[in-house]
Amino acid sequence: RSWNCRTSRSCLDTMVPVSKRLQIPLYSFFILAAYVGSLLWAFPREFHPLVPYRPDLYYPVGLLSNSFAATALYPRPIAYLFEQATGYLGTQGAIAATIAVVFATVLLVALAVSRISGAMPNPIAFLTYLVLLFTNPEFYFHHRFDVPSVLAGFFLLPAILGANSWLVHPRRRTLVATLACLAAMALAKETYDVSAPLIIVGLCGLHWHPGQWRRPALLVACTCAVEAAAEAFNLIRFGAAAGAISVTSTYAPDLRVASVWTMLGRYRGELLPPVQLIIVVLALLVTAYALRPRWKELIAPAAFLVGGVLALVPNSVLPRHYESQYAWNAAPLVFAVVLFVPAVRRFGLAAQLALAA
């Protein structure tokens, strides 16, 4: 592939060289630096990430009165078991643990892109991605508060990595691990229940070979079955805990197309103000231009983009429960389009520099 920098000498001239051994530490440093810088100089222009700014952040400590066995019977048990475990760290320790999960998720996005495209994202592209993620005002409120969504996003990425690996080299343990991550994702929160199958279908299309349909079909079928079983558990336990949902409840769904479309538009507006929207569109166009002889490879960035938008659907069916911060659920996937911008040719590097500017 033209963007596989490990096989192209032109990379030495057109991108920042990074030793493979240093990639993970360097990118981890980028994440921490971008996080601190964004909070200090973009929003809210002060650095106090461990301050519990709303009552929900005391919930992990409150769960300590439970047994883990009792918590395992909650709806979304993975999220609540995590919160209960981090409750032993105290309120600020629990917040710090959630922030660490966010950092790990961002690093996993870069690893997923590297496995799919064949090369670790260029540092310029990665820094651009981090700025888009962390300077969005909704990030500041979301990344500490919505622990279930944060965990769901974390488990989604190993599932993507596993699905991609299994489609290339089918091993039973890889499939089992992938499905386990999907189950953990769905049992944390339903945020990415629509996104995951879409992205996996995209990976199936990327690795599709004529006549070889059984492996992709098995993966998609298993994905849907695991998610359905997990959500059936969540619904049963939610019904046992809360009873029937009245039509006037905050959590009463509205499945009308007009309502869902309107809510999607509101969340999209919170996530993608004009500048960010232009950057994402430009990144997709640049990638499409660079890959124009091989349109099939455009499936991956398109799947991440559409999968990110679909992460807004679960909240869009709850119009009475609108909170703008939920828009950030889509950010790690939508902004990942920037990471696919090739950096092998001078055109690719110029495009990355322009996006960063």
Side-chain angles (χ1 to χ4, degrees):
R1 291 174 178 157
S2 65
W3 58 11
N4 191 333
C5 300
R6 291 171 294 184
T7 61
S8 176
R9 292 182 180 179
S10 60
C11 286
L12 297 176
D13 302 322
T14 61
M15 70 180 288
V16 180
V18 180
S19 168
K20 187 176 181 180
R21 187 176 299 175
L22 296 177
Q23 282 178 341
I24 300 302
L26 179 62
Y27 280 56
S28 299
F29 171 77
F30 284 167
I31 292 171
L32 180 60
Y35 179 80
V36 174
S38 297
L39 266 59
L40 279 177
W41 298 311
F43 185 88
R45 299 194 177 184
E46 59 182 24
F47 190 74
H48 300 292
L50 301 184
V51 173
Y53 71 96
R54 58 186 295 168
D56 307 68
L57 297 176
Y58 294 96
Y59 197 66
V61 175
L63 281 171
L64 294 180
S65 59
N66 274 14
S67 67
F68 282 102
T71 304
L73 295 177
Y74 279 26
R76 303 172 179 170
I78 296 296
Y80 290 115
L81 286 170
F82 173 83
E83 290 197 72
Q84 183 173 352
T86 58
Y88 288 100
L89 302 175
T91 299
Q92 292 186 320
I95 296 172
T98 304
I99 295 172
V101 173
V102 173
F103 289 177
T105 302
V106 173
L107 188 59
L108 284 171
V109 171
L111 291 174
V113 171
S114 75
R115 294 294 185 272
I116 294 168
S117 67
M120 201 70 172
N122 179 274
I124 297 172
F126 189 62
L127 285 171
T128 305
Y129 173 68
L130 294 175
V131 170
L132 288 171
L133 278 180
F134 295 156
T135 58
N136 189 300
E138 302 308 328
F139 166 75
Y140 179 74
F141 299 105
H142 180 276
H143 78 292
R144 296 168 295 160
F145 157 66
D146 194 359
V147 178
S149 285
V150 167
L151 280 177
F154 171 78
F155 285 113
L156 170 66
L157 272 303
I160 293 173
L161 285 163
N164 185 72
S165 176
W166 190 76
L167 289 167
V168 177
H169 301 294
R171 299 184 181 91
R172 182 178 299 177
R173 63 184 181 184
T174 304
L175 179 61
V176 171
T178 300
L179 297 178
C181 289
L182 287 169
M185 176 200 75
L187 290 172
K189 196 174 181 180
E190 63 280 357
T191 303
Y192 300 100
D193 280 1
V194 186
S195 305
L198 184 281
I199 294 173
I200 288 175
V201 167
L203 292 176
C204 291
L206 182 65
H207 297 293
W208 174 265
H209 299 286
Q212 298 182 6
W213 57 271
R214 293 183 180 178
R215 193 187 308 166
L218 175 62
L219 179 59
V220 173
C222 289
T223 296
C224 295
V226 166
E227 286 193 8
E231 292 308 331
F233 174 87
N234 285 337
L235 288 172
I236 290 170
R237 297 311 305 164
F238 184 84
I245 300 176
S246 69
V247 294
T248 58
S249 169
T250 303
Y251 291 95
D254 187 343
L255 301 179
R256 293 176 300 164
V257 174
S259 174
V260 174
W261 185 257
T262 299
M263 296 303 298
L264 274 174
R266 292 182 68 182
Y267 282 120
R268 196 280 309 162
E270 299 291 351
L271 175 69
L272 293 172
V275 173
Q276 286 87 338
L277 179 61
I278 291 171
I279 290 173
V280 170
V281 172
L282 282 177
L284 192 62
L285 291 176
V286 167
T287 304
Y289 180 82
L291 299 177
R292 63 193 182 283
R294 301 170 305 282
W295 291 106
K296 187 177 179 182
E297 295 181 14
L298 190 60
I299 292 175
F304 271 70
L305 177 61
V306 177
V309 173
L310 292 178
L312 302 174
V313 170
N315 289 107
S316 295
V317 302
L318 302 173
R320 296 182 183 88
H321 190 59
Y322 174 79
E323 287 193 44
S324 61
Q325 66 188 30
Y326 290 129
W328 199 84
N329 286 328
L333 297 177
V334 169
F335 293 141
V337 174
V338 174
L339 301 178
F340 285 95
V341 176
V344 174
R345 301 172 183 172
R346 294 188 183 279
F347 171 77
L349 182 65
Q352 288 184 336
L353 289 171
L355 290 175

